[in-house]
Structure formats: structure tokens, C-alpha cells
Amino acid sequence: MRKSGLAIPMLLVVSLLGSIVLAASLDRRGARATTGEEWLFLPDAAQLKPLLLGFHGVAADLLWIQIVQYVGTHWQTDRKFPQLSKALELATSLDPRFLEPYRLGGVYLLYLSRQPEAAVSLLEKGAAANPGRWELPHDLGRYYYLEARDYARALRWWEHAVTLPGRPDYLPRFVARLYAKTGHEETALELWLNLYRTAQNDHVRALAREEIERLKAVNGPRVTVDGQGPRRP
Amino acid sequence: MRVAVIALNTFKEAVRDRILYAILVFALVMLAGSTILVTISVDGEEKIIKDLGLACISIFGLLIATFLGTGLVSKEIEKRTLYTIISKPIHRYQFILGKYLGLVMTLLVNVGVMGLGLIGLAYIWEGTSSVRLLLAVLFIFLELVLVTAIAMLFSAFSSPALSALFTLCLFVAGHLSADLRLFAAQFGGAATKLLAEVLFFLLPNLSRLNLKDQTVHGIAIDGGTMALSVVYAIFYVAALVLAAMAIFQRRDFK
């Protein structure tokens, strides 16, 4: 009777210790797993959305958090982002009005993953799904201005963004400058500075700082990243 | 009067249940936990908090509604209190109605506590309170009132386990009915389309009571559609409660 009374607590201790040892072993195996294989299967949004029973907004949130972790992990390791585009596509299809995956996802695709076509496609998808929001035409204008150097298209997007509610005060100034076809470097500095000030992500902020420093080196120290903004000559 | 007495007793009995408190505490912990989750995200914190909070209320509310609704008749039979009640000068339909109203009161308190928790959390995070959020919580409550009626209907003739299973199946079907209709319209033959059409109008259209997207993204909600959705839910609940009454009237308790 006494033996059986002791047996259960002993087995309990063994089971608990065994589970801890196994968990640690599995954890080590997890750490050795090949990076970039986090999402072996990303389902099609059209099929997945009905199965979420109205909880697609939460699913998009959780996937977005996963994307941020994915980018962070790969940024610190191999700097390869093979599934980023597909994951962003899924997150934005699950919740087309969720702006952050378009905006930051666009930055990730453009500057970290070096997929400009995917970035533009994502931003255009966002602009079409959110016709009342200035942010996405603004970001498309920024892409065409800074990266593609297609000032006509940049102007087209910014002109559109200017008409939308809540747009920043500097946008009409950019449009005016583009019309005059002058001051491109200063506009570029202001764009990067704005991104640096508003970014809540270290990678984006570091990227903006690098670009500001580069432009400063080319155009002279007309701008600082301490929040002072561009200095007029 | 008799209905009110039964409703009040059902409410008192339900709030004494420890499992209910466990679910409620867990839901509140999950709500608070969403603030930890947003710290690992980038931007969109307000949206994530509202999304997770509304999902928490919906899921835990569903658990409470199913758990309470499916035990409605079986508990009374198990404890043999039903025999005492039906021997008294009280109609069976009064018993069902009283029980249902008691469950709705319990649900109101639970959803109210969770809703206040979420509104408080959103206030702390954003610095403003949102009427839209309250509206979304009210519509979740309405959806749960309907789910409770489904659970009670099954409880009137089936075991608690089967009732819970049927209720959850109908909850899923209720959210999928519009999609089924769409798929049938795109790919199905004439018979499939007809079946999908019948199911669409017969099954509870729970997606009509989902205001989460509009609330979180600040999209304008059409007052007329909203009012019609409320009336639709009331009519559907009435039909379910009446069906439960009809089944309970004919049930033989020996």
C-alpha cells in the first residue's frame, strides 16, 4: 500500500523531468533547423478566408506579427526572404484594409528582399483596396521618385495622395517641386528624413539613416537626422 | 411572473458555476495578454488589440453560450429538479422561456464584463473610447444570444455532448452559408445551387452579425442594414425558442 503510494509521485517526477529534457532536446533541434523554412505551406487566401469564420482580421494580425519576426530573424542571419512576398500577399488578402503589411511590407520587399516588382504590386493592391487612404499613393510616389526615378509616375501618385484626407503637409510641396522639375535631392532628403522620423522599426530607421548619410555625402550636409530637418541653403 | 422567477433562478444558478468564472478569468487574461503580443509587432497596435479583444469575446462567449445552453434540460433531469418543476402549475413553455431568459442574462453579464475590459484596454492604449467598439460587442452579444437559442433547441431533445456538437456545427455553417451560396453559384449545377439557396435562407446568417471589420477599420456602418440585422436575429431567436418549446411540450419525462 505504501509502495503504491510512493510510486505515483515518483512516476510524476520522472514524467515531468523527462518532458523537460525532451522539450530542451526538441528546442535544440529547432534551433538547428534550416532558416527560411518557417512557412512550409501558405494557403490561398480565397480558400482560407471562409474557413476563418469571420476571424480573418485576427489571422492577418497574427500573420503580420509572424512576418515581422521572420524579417527580423533573416535580417540577422542569411538576409534572404524567400517567403516574404507570399506571406505579405496572404496577410493583405485576409485583411485588405490593414495598412501596415502594405506599407512596411513594401519597404521590406524593396530594400531588404530587393523585389521592387513585388513591392509595387503590393502597394498598388493596397491603393486599390483602400481608395480613401493617402498612405499608399504616397508610398508609391516615394518608390517612383527615389528608386525608379520615374518622376512622371511619382507626380501622378502624389497628386492623387494630395486629394485624400489626412495627407501630410509636405505633400503639396513635393508636387510643386516636381512640377518645377527641380530640387529632387532636397525632396529625396525630406522623404528619407520623414521615413526616419516616423519609422517604429529599427531596420527601417537604420535604412533611412544610411540613405540620409549617403545623400548628405553627395549633396553636402544640408540635412541631419536629429529631427532638425533639411536646412535651407 | 413565473417566467421571471425561473429566469432569475437560472441566472443565480449559472453565476454560481465555477467553470463560468474560469472561462471569464481566462478571457480577461487573454485580453490583457494581447498587449504583450503587440509589443512584438510593428505599427497597427490599436488594430491588433481590438481584433484580438473582439475575437476573445466572441470565442469565449461561444464557449459560455454552448456550455450553458446545452446543459439546460439535461442538468434539470440529472438533478431531478425538472420533475418537481413540471408537477407545479407551470406551463412547459414558461419553463423553457424562463430558462432561456436566465441564460441570456448570464451571457449579458459575461459579455458585458469582457466588453468593458476591452473598451478599457482600448482607452488605455488609444486615449479615446469608441462607441463603435461597444456596437461590435453588442452585435457579438446578439450572435451569442442566437447561439444560446440553438444550443437550447438541441438541448430540448438531445444529450449535452451531442447538443454541443450540433451547436458548434451550426455556428460554423452559419458563418459559411454566404460563402457556400457563392461557391454554388460559381461552380455548382442547378440542384447544388438550389440546395445552397435553401441552406442560405434556412441556416442562421451569422456573418450579418459580424461588425468586427467595420469597427476595427472605422468603416461607416449603414444604420438600416444594422437595424435589419437586429430584427433578423430577433426573429430567428424567436423561431428557435418556439421550436424548443414545441419539442419540450411533447417530450415524455418518465
Side-chain angles (χ1 to χ4, degrees):
Chain A
M1 188 68 187
R2 208 178 153 202
K3 271 183 188 174
S4 67
L6 273 173
I8 291 171
M10 278 173 72
L11 281 171
L12 177 69
V13 170
V14 170
S15 309
L16 274 175
L17 286 175
S19 67
I20 292 166
V21 170
L22 285 167
S25 169
L26 284 167
D27 190 48
R28 278 195 298 276
R29 272 173 181 270
R32 282 201 302 269
T34 316
T35 53
E37 289 181 5
E38 289 89 345
W39 298 305
L40 291 174
F41 175 65
L42 282 169
D44 182 51
Q47 291 163 3
L48 181 65
K49 207 171 175 179
L51 300 176
L52 291 168
L53 309 175
F55 294 106
H56 48 268
V58 182
D61 296 342
L62 296 176
L63 182 57
W64 172 238
I65 290 170
Q66 286 267 309
I67 290 169
V68 172
Q69 304 310 308
Y70 172 83
V71 169
T73 307
H74 285 266
W75 176 256
Q76 287 167 349
T77 54
D78 59 358
R79 299 212 170 189
K80 287 177 184 162
F81 310 89
Q83 289 162 306
L84 179 60
S85 176
K86 205 176 173 193
L88 285 167
E89 176 63 33
L90 179 59
T92 52
S93 297
L94 287 176
D95 191 349
R97 293 189 186 91
F98 189 13
L99 292 193
E100 278 71 21
Y102 296 115
R103 298 198 74 193
L104 274 164
V107 172
Y108 290 154
L109 283 170
L110 198 56
Y111 299 107
L112 306 184
S113 177
R114 299 283 168 199
Q115 290 177 273
E117 293 87 4
V120 171
S121 164
L122 185 76
L123 288 169
E124 283 180 347
K125 180 185 170 190
N130 300 276
R133 301 298 298 250
W134 63 268
E135 293 91 336
L136 299 155
H138 168 275
D139 291 1
L140 275 159
R142 186 176 63 204
Y143 162 75
Y144 283 114
Y145 189 91
L146 290 176
E147 303 306 318
R149 299 197 181 271
D150 183 341
Y151 301 128
R153 281 198 180 178
L155 181 63
R156 202 182 74 200
W157 281 111
W158 279 343
E159 270 186 324
H160 176 49
V162 160
T163 63
L164 297 170
R167 52 106 177 123
D169 294 336
Y170 59 77
L171 260 180
R173 199 160 62 236
F174 286 180
V175 173
R177 272 187 207 157
L178 268 176
Y179 269 126
K181 296 190 177 180
T182 55
H184 291 156
E185 292 82 7
E186 201 174 339
T187 307
L189 281 168
E190 201 161 342
L191 273 170
W192 280 114
L193 195 69
N194 182 263
L195 192 64
Y196 176 82
R197 281 182 192 144
T198 54
Q200 291 184 24
N201 178 286
D202 289 342
H203 303 131
V204 179
R205 204 178 292 118
L207 188 79
R209 179 185 274 272
E210 272 176 32
E211 286 298 318
I212 291 164
E213 296 304 325
R214 191 180 61 76
L215 285 167
K216 267 171 67 182
V218 174
N219 301 295
R222 287 192 298 170
V223 72
T224 58
V225 292
D226 59 2
Q228 294 302 310
R231 289 172 195 153
R232 303 281 168 203
Chain B
M1 188 63 194
R2 284 169 187 163
V3 173
V5 171
I6 294 170
L8 207 62
N9 271 312
T10 307
F11 174 72
K12 281 180 184 169
E13 194 187 342
V15 294
R16 277 199 294 260
D17 210 319
R18 284 178 194 168
I19 296 171
L20 200 68
Y21 287 106
I23 296 173
L24 195 61
V25 167
F26 195 66
L28 290 172
V29 169
M30 287 285 285
L31 272 175
S34 64
T35 55
I36 299 166
L37 200 63
V38 294
T39 57
I40 57 169
S41 174
V42 181
D43 293 344
E45 289 88 351
E46 291 88 0
K47 178 201 180 293
I48 296 175
I49 282 182
K50 285 178 191 171
D51 264 338
L52 285 172
L54 291 172
C56 261
I57 296 173
S58 218
I59 292 166
F60 288 105
L62 175 69
L63 283 178
I64 293 170
T66 311
F67 166 72
L68 291 177
T70 54
L72 186 90
V73 180
S74 62
K75 257 188 181 178
E76 298 289 343
I77 297 173
E78 198 182 299
K79 288 193 276 183
R80 301 199 170 272
T81 43
L82 181 74
Y83 303 99
T84 320
I85 295 166
I86 54 174
S87 65
K88 299 225 183 270
I90 181 170
H91 293 290
R92 285 189 182 190
Y93 75 84
Q94 287 176 323
F95 172 75
I96 287 286
L97 190 61
K99 277 277 172 190
Y100 179 68
L101 292 176
L103 295 188
V104 170
M105 276 162 67
T106 315
L107 210 55
L108 182 68
V109 170
N110 281 285
V111 173
V113 170
M114 290 190 279
L116 282 177
L118 175 62
I119 290 167
L121 203 62
Y123 184 78
I124 292 167
W125 207 265
E126 280 187 314
T128 54
S129 57
S130 166
V131 181
R132 282 173 174 276
L133 208 53
L134 185 68
L135 207 61
V137 174
L138 279 174
F139 267 75
I140 290 174
F141 171 69
L142 206 59
E143 184 185 8
L144 296 173
V145 165
L146 206 155
V147 172
T148 309
I150 296 170
M152 191 185 69
L153 172 67
F154 287 127
S155 167
F157 64 88
S158 184
S159 69
L162 275 178
S163 298
L165 186 70
F166 292 150
T167 305
L168 292 175
C169 285
L170 215 56
F171 175 80
V172 172
H175 275 283
L176 283 177
S177 61
D179 294 292
L180 283 174
R181 189 194 195 195
L182 193 72
F183 289 142
Q186 282 176 338
F187 308 111
T192 316
K193 278 180 192 168
L194 182 70
L195 181 69
E197 205 70 18
V198 169
L199 284 174
F200 176 74
F201 287 109
L202 210 60
L203 291 170
N205 193 343
L206 297 177
S207 56
R208 282 265 168 235
L209 304 174
N210 183 4
L211 291 187
K212 294 186 196 88
D213 265 2
Q214 289 94 320
T215 303
V216 168
H217 293 295
I219 302 163
I221 306 165
D222 175 42
T225 312
M226 211 160 59
L228 211 61
S229 301
V230 173
V231 176
Y232 165 75
I234 292 168
F235 267 76
Y236 208 100
V237 165
L240 289 168
V241 174
L242 287 167
M245 282 174 182
I247 292 168
F248 195 69
Q249 293 269 36
R250 287 161 195 264
R251 200 166 159 182
D252 192 14
F253 296 104
K254 279 183 183 172

